[in-house]
Amino acid sequence: MSKNTLIIGAGGVSNVVVFKCAMNIETFGNITLASRTKSKCDAIAKNVKSRLGIEIATASLDADITEDIVKLINETKADIVINVALPYQDLTIMDACIATKTPYLDTANYEHPDTAMFEYKEQWAKHDAFKNAGIMGLLGSGFDPGATNMFCAYAQKHYFDEIHTIDILDCNAGDHGYPFATNFNPEINLREVSAKGRYWENGTWIETEPMEIMQVWDYPEIGPKDSYLLYHEEMESLVKNIKGLKRIRFFMTFGQSYLTHMKCLENVGMLGIKEVEHKGMKIVPMEFLATLLPDPASLGPRTKGKTNIGIVAEGIKDGKKRKIYIYQVKDHEECYAEVMSQGVSYTTGVPAMIGAKLMLDGVWSGTGVWNMEQLDPDPFMELMNTQGLPWKIIEMDI
Ligand code: NDP
């Protein structure tokens, strides 16, 4: 019997998810796309129809309201909900999935709108409710988190008896021609990169000032780039699930122009997330800034260059030291040619589709709330190769 898929959110990542689900229609069946602004859903549906000839139903939905989500899940008879709205909506959508016993997937962990702090606590707290409802909730099925967790699980399964250190390396060498823009939702992106850095070593979290630690990494197919240590959410689950881990860090590349703009915006208070009074109105500076910046979805046609995201893992296999690098390189223009999106949306949207496909096809099953690395990485890694994200593994000198 044909399945029903409900996708929530209609931004850059959603565009890729909808295209890729439509390309795998034998799994996803009848697709409904719902978001706050219905016209954005209609625009995506129109492009999918004209490129692939597949109909996508659209609906207006405020995903901050659990009852409205429940109603739409019931109307569409959804077999899965793919949440690619914002992290603020994770909990309301999860609650609607519990109420209707519908499997759930997202790409980013919950973040409270008033605190620039993201963690899994609230989502993990729903484990028993998901278990009792007999459904799976898959957390963080994007690229990082998502594919990076799978790379770690794959390394653990096939390459190591024990992994001692992991560095997650995220390089975007794309150029969109604007002096300053973000590749995904500006508010979420700027909150992430302006926060204090953090890494985990010997059982404790070590905090750094924002952008305090910089290393130059030589990224295959791109070259050497300044890479800054950030806190990133997948580390929270990986420290629990990877055997023998002694240290994990996350690095992301930033160009000087991006950093100078960000510092200046921060210095004048434009990254603030608390309301300020402006001519008798209340505004949140970060939200106002997001309004001024280019819509990430509009960067697609103008972005050139490549992304390279991967992990370097070091540990022990059969009593000997070993170090490997697993990475994926994607070309922004190739992504746009295929699905009308730039590489950051593409590398997030494809793993979201793959995670949902494995759930709907029954390859990944179970009840409760899961992080990616708790599941078998092999079918996910195979689908990355065939669905547009081929990866490589190299052995490195120690
Ligand atoms: P966008 O800002 O482009 O899109 C977000 C969409 O969510 C918009 O269509 C927006 O609606 C919709 N939305 C916001 N609030 C609501 C609401 N209350 N009800 C219904 N819809 C709502 O973001 P991106 O596409 O760039 O990112 C999507 C998600 O992917 C984010 O959670 C982001 O953190 C995550 N991400 C994950 C990555 C990974 O590798 N794991 C990497 C990059 C992103 P409207 O159009 O009305 O504003």
Side-chain angles (χ1 to χ4, degrees):
M1 208 173 68
S2 185
K3 295 273 184 4
N4 298 307
T5 299
L6 175 59
I7 300 167
I8 302 181
V13 175
S14 168
N15 178 67
V16 178
V17 174
V18 179
F19 261 98
K20 284 292 188 175
C21 288
M23 290 172 181
N24 287 273
I25 201 72
E26 68 291 348
T27 292
F28 292 96
N30 307 300
I31 302 169
T32 303
L33 173 60
S35 191
R36 187 167 54 186
T37 311
K38 186 170 172 292
S39 58
K40 290 195 185 174
C41 303
D42 294 334
I44 294 174
K46 189 165 164 241
N47 287 336
V48 171
K49 171 81 181 156
S50 76
R51 288 241 181 154
L52 305 175
I54 287 170
E55 292 287 348
I56 306 292
T58 59
S60 157
L61 174 72
D62 182 349
D64 288 327
I65 305 170
T66 301
E67 300 76 55
D68 290 2
I69 311 166
V70 167
K71 194 161 162 267
L72 188 60
I73 292 175
N74 287 332
E75 275 167 20
T76 56
K77 301 190 172 53
D79 294 292
I80 191 163
V81 174
I82 303 176
N83 168 15
V84 276
L86 295 178
Y88 314 131
Q89 281 79 51
D90 286 1
L91 301 183
T92 45
I93 300 177
M94 287 177 90
D95 287 341
C97 285
I98 294 165
T100 54
K101 298 187 171 25
T102 311
Y104 167 90
L105 174 148
D106 66 31
T107 65
N109 69 5
Y110 176 66
E111 193 172 334
H112 194 279
D114 301 331
T115 338
M117 169 82 180
F118 42 98
E119 55 184 353
Y120 281 117
K121 192 170 67 187
E122 284 95 339
Q123 291 181 281
W124 283 342
K126 295 191 187 293
H127 181 72
D128 287 346
F130 268 71
K131 233 179 157 48
N132 294 336
I135 51 166
M136 176 183 257
L138 183 59
L139 306 183
S141 189
F143 208 105
D144 45 342
T148 49
N149 302 57
M150 289 282 93
F151 289 172
C152 294
Y154 193 78
Q156 176 163 270
K157 183 171 173 185
H158 298 289
Y159 284 81
F160 292 98
D161 297 322
E162 256 186 31
I163 298 181
H164 294 162
T165 66
I166 294 173
D167 283 324
I168 302 168
L169 306 169
D170 181 332
C171 169
N172 179 8
D175 181 8
H176 43 59
Y178 286 116
F180 186 73
T182 62
N183 291 293
F184 64 96
N185 183 275
E187 208 181 311
I188 303 297
N189 183 230
L190 291 168
R191 280 164 72 130
E192 178 177 284
V193 302
S194 59
K196 291 210 175 194
R198 214 173 350 142
Y199 65 100
W200 188 87
E201 190 159 35
N202 297 325
T204 47
W205 289 103
I206 297 159
E207 198 171 79
T208 70
E209 288 307 310
M211 309 287 176
E212 186 187 331
I213 297 180
M214 193 280 277
Q215 289 194 3
V216 177
W217 286 93
D218 195 356
Y219 293 90
E221 298 181 44
I222 290 176
K225 290 273 173 206
D226 292 354
S227 309
Y228 294 83
L229 186 143
L230 298 183
Y231 176 67
H232 221 244
E233 62 195 66
E234 63 265 52
M235 293 193 288
E236 190 184 358
S237 65
L238 287 168
V239 299
K240 289 184 189 297
N241 296 323
I242 298 296
K243 277 185 277 177
L245 197 61
K246 295 189 169 85
R247 189 188 73 200
I248 184 165
R249 306 181 295 184
F250 181 98
F251 289 88
M252 191 179 268
T253 59
F254 294 100
Q256 271 315 314
S257 167
Y258 183 98
L259 292 177
T260 309
H261 276 82
M262 207 183 75
K263 195 78 218 150
C264 173
L265 291 165
E266 190 175 21
N267 286 344
V268 298
M270 282 300 285
L271 302 187
I273 59 171
K274 298 261 180 296
E275 276 185 350
V276 295
E277 183 123 349
H278 172 71
K279 296 192 173 175
M281 280 183 308
K282 301 260 189 224
I283 60 163
V284 175
M286 179 77 96
E287 285 178 12
F288 178 62
L289 174 64
T291 308
L292 296 179
L293 290 175
D295 178 357
S298 72
L299 301 179
R302 36 187 305 151
T303 307
K304 297 181 181 9
K306 289 179 177 168
T307 61
N308 177 335
I309 315 175
I311 65 145
V312 171
E314 201 173 330
I316 301 283
K317 179 72 178 172
D318 300 330
K320 288 197 195 113
K321 284 189 176 178
R322 184 177 220 181
K323 188 174 181 181
I324 62 164
Y325 190 2
I326 313 181
Y327 62 88
Q328 200 288 321
V329 176
K330 198 69 202 172
D331 184 275
H332 284 284
E333 288 174 283
E334 224 176 73
C335 299
Y336 191 74
E338 187 190 335
V339 298
M340 306 170 85
S341 278
Q342 37 84 1
V344 174
S345 302
Y346 188 95
T347 54
T348 309
V350 173
M353 179 282 290
I354 294 175
K357 180 170 168 54
L358 292 173
M359 288 167 73
L360 278 178
D361 289 347
V363 180
W364 278 352
S365 58
T367 58
V369 166
W370 297 72
N371 288 96
M372 304 282 289
E373 69 276 11
Q374 295 175 288
L375 296 157
D376 181 8
D378 292 356
F380 187 97
M381 297 288 280
E382 273 166 35
L383 282 171
M384 281 185 74
N385 277 330
T386 56
Q387 296 287 339
L389 295 175
W391 43 273
K392 290 189 180 144
I393 298 189
I394 48 178
E395 294 274 356
M396 298 181 83
D397 296 335
I398 297 179

